[in-house]
């Protein structure tokens, strides 16, 4: 699958990688241009790129997919997981799922390990009011883990709320009643 949802400190229940997410849902990619190199085994989409798989949407300036075998002859191969090796999105990358939203400058997704890496000084993952920001965010889809790294001159920032808190209460430091 392109990418399944990851949860962190969420109000919604966690969805396991083996849960209800469809594994072999097809991917729809729209863009202004496509350049493909069958020898090098990649296809690069550019210009207002939008990739959709089930409830997972990536928008970016460019999106490159690396594949095995013949991209257009997938019936011999089977599922997308067997064809796609890696996906790299660059430039104004936004990710939307039913569990979280994210923004970054570069996304790398390895289909075998089901690992999403967000790279960029202000990469952010948002779930409800909760958010995590860092220079590199690694979402380990198989086991629901997340790792956030800061940059040379910037530390990570995590902001979590309880259900009874509002952003104003936390920011103003008002005592809970």
């Amino acid at each position: 699958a392109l990418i399944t949802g990851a949860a962190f400190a969420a109000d919604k229940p966690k969805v396991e990688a083996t849960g209800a997410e469809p594994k072999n849902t097809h991917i729809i990619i729209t863009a202004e241009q496509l350049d493909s190199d069958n020898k090098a085994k990649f296809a690069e989409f550019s210009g207002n790129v939008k990739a959709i798989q089930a409830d997972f949407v990536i928008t970016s300036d460019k999106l490159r997919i690396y594949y095995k075998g013949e991209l257009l002859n997938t019936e011999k191969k089977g599922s997308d997981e067997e064809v796609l090796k890696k996906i790299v999105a660059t430039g104004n990358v936004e990710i939307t799922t039913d569990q979280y939203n994210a923004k970054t400058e570069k996304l790398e997704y390895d289909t075998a390990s089901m690992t999403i890496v967000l790279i960029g000084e202000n990469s952010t993952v948002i779930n409800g009011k909760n958010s995590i920001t860092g220079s590199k965010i690694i979402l380990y889809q198989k086991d629901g883990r997340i790792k956030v790294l800061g940059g040379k001159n910037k530390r990570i920032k995590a902001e979590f709320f309880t259900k009874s808190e509002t952003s104003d209460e936390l920011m103003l430091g008002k005592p809970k009643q």
Side-chain angles (χ1 to χ4, degrees), residues 72-88:
L72 297 177
N73 193 4
T74 58
E75 290 185 20
K76 290 182 182 178
K77 284 285 188 184
S79 72
D80 293 332
E81 289 179 54
E82 295 172 356
V83 175
L84 298 180
K85 292 176 16 178
K86 184 176 181 180
I87 297 168
V88 178

Side-chain angles (χ1 to χ4, degrees), residues 1-149:
L2 179 59
I3 303 172
T4 56
F8 68 93
D11 291 324
K12 293 182 183 180
K14 181 178 163 188
V15 174
E16 297 293 333
T18 57
E21 296 295 322
K23 288 189 174 197
N24 294 325
T25 304
H26 68 285
I27 300 166
I28 300 169
I29 302 172
T30 57
E32 293 171 4
Q33 183 174 325
L34 167 64
D35 293 315
S36 182
D37 185 334
N38 203 38
K39 256 187 183 176
K41 303 292 185 199
F42 76 83
E44 184 171 86
F45 300 84
S46 57
N48 298 313
V49 181
K50 187 173 189 177
I52 302 170
Q53 183 183 34
D55 71 336
F56 197 92
V57 179
I58 298 173
T59 59
S60 62
D61 295 337
K62 289 185 179 184
L63 185 131
R64 182 179 277 205
I65 58 173
Y66 296 88
Y67 57 89
K68 301 180 229 178
E70 299 296 320
L71 185 61
L72 297 177
N73 193 4
T74 58
E75 290 185 20
K76 290 182 182 178
K77 284 285 188 184
S79 72
D80 293 332
E81 289 179 54
E82 295 172 356
V83 175
L84 298 180
K85 292 176 16 178
K86 184 176 181 180
I87 297 168
V88 178
T90 56
N92 302 303
V93 181
E94 293 188 17
I95 302 106
T96 305
T97 75
D98 66 348
Q99 298 214 332
Y100 66 90
N101 295 320
K103 290 185 179 186
T104 189
E105 276 305 306
K106 183 176 182 181
L107 170 142
E108 294 180 359
Y109 175 65
D110 182 280
T111 60
S113 66
M114 292 179 64
T115 303
I116 303 168
V117 181
L118 307 176
I119 303 165
E121 194 63 32
N122 291 306
S123 295
T124 303
V125 178
I126 301 167
N127 182 296
K129 290 188 279 182
N130 302 319
S131 67
I132 296 178
T133 302
S135 296
K136 185 174 187 178
I137 301 174
I138 306 166
L139 302 166
Y140 300 94
Q141 300 300 107
K142 284 186 180 177
D143 55 6
R145 293 185 304 120
I146 186 170
K147 182 175 185 175
V148 184
L149 304 170

